[in-house]
Amino acid sequence: MKVEIKGIHLEITPGIQAYLDEKIPRLDYAKDHIVDLMISLTREKSLFKADATVNFRWGGVTHIGVENFDLNQGIDELFDKLDAKVEKEKSKIKEHHKKKEPPQEEE
């Protein structure tokens, strides 16, 4: 899983980087399914926006965004939503690949 973090009108300080590094292992259960995780943190006056784009290995792409006045709370919300979305996508793939029982013929 390749992780890219960028700041728009916001410098990614070592503190922000360390906080994100604490949160990223929450997605370790799906690292085989995720190709890229791109996180963008934006500051607009006193509002922070945290956006994430996830590229899955089967070609699926999802985008999640949150807004909050506190950057750390926004990152927490983002990872809560990311965790739920990744789990949902992962379960879709599991359901899709379940073997269906062949129809039984009557004698």
Side-chain angles (χ1 to χ4, degrees):
M1 173 170 69
K2 182 180 143 195
V3 179
E4 180 183 324
I5 301 168
K6 70 177 182 177
I8 301 170
H9 305 293
L10 174 74
E11 181 182 344
I12 304 298
T13 64
I16 295 171
Q17 183 68 46
Y19 193 71
L20 286 168
D21 290 342
E22 288 177 20
K23 296 295 179 179
I24 290 172
R26 284 179 61 180
L27 302 175
D28 277 351
Y29 68 92
K31 67 182 175 185
D32 294 338
H33 302 294
I34 298 174
V35 176
D36 293 318
L37 171 62
M38 293 167 277
I39 299 172
S40 172
L41 303 174
T42 307
R43 181 177 184 174
E44 293 180 4
K45 295 188 180 181
S46 62
L47 182 68
F48 293 97
K49 293 181 181 181
D51 298 310
T53 302
V54 181
N55 294 317
F56 295 99
R57 69 177 167 87
W58 54 85
V61 177
T62 189
H63 180 81
I64 297 171
V66 296
E67 293 181 351
N68 201 312
F69 288 102
D70 182 1
L71 180 61
N72 289 347
Q73 285 180 353
I75 291 171
D76 289 342
E77 287 178 30
L78 179 70
F79 274 90
D80 289 343
K81 287 185 176 186
L82 263 174
D83 196 21
K85 184 64 175 178
V86 168
E87 186 64 42
K88 183 178 177 182
E89 289 291 325
K90 190 176 169 187
S91 69
K92 282 183 187 178
I93 294 301
K94 283 183 181 177
E95 289 175 12
H96 181 71
H97 288 291
K98 279 185 182 176
K99 292 194 177 200
K100 295 180 182 176
E101 293 181 22
Q104 296 181 1
E105 296 179 14
E106 294 182 24
E107 293 181 13

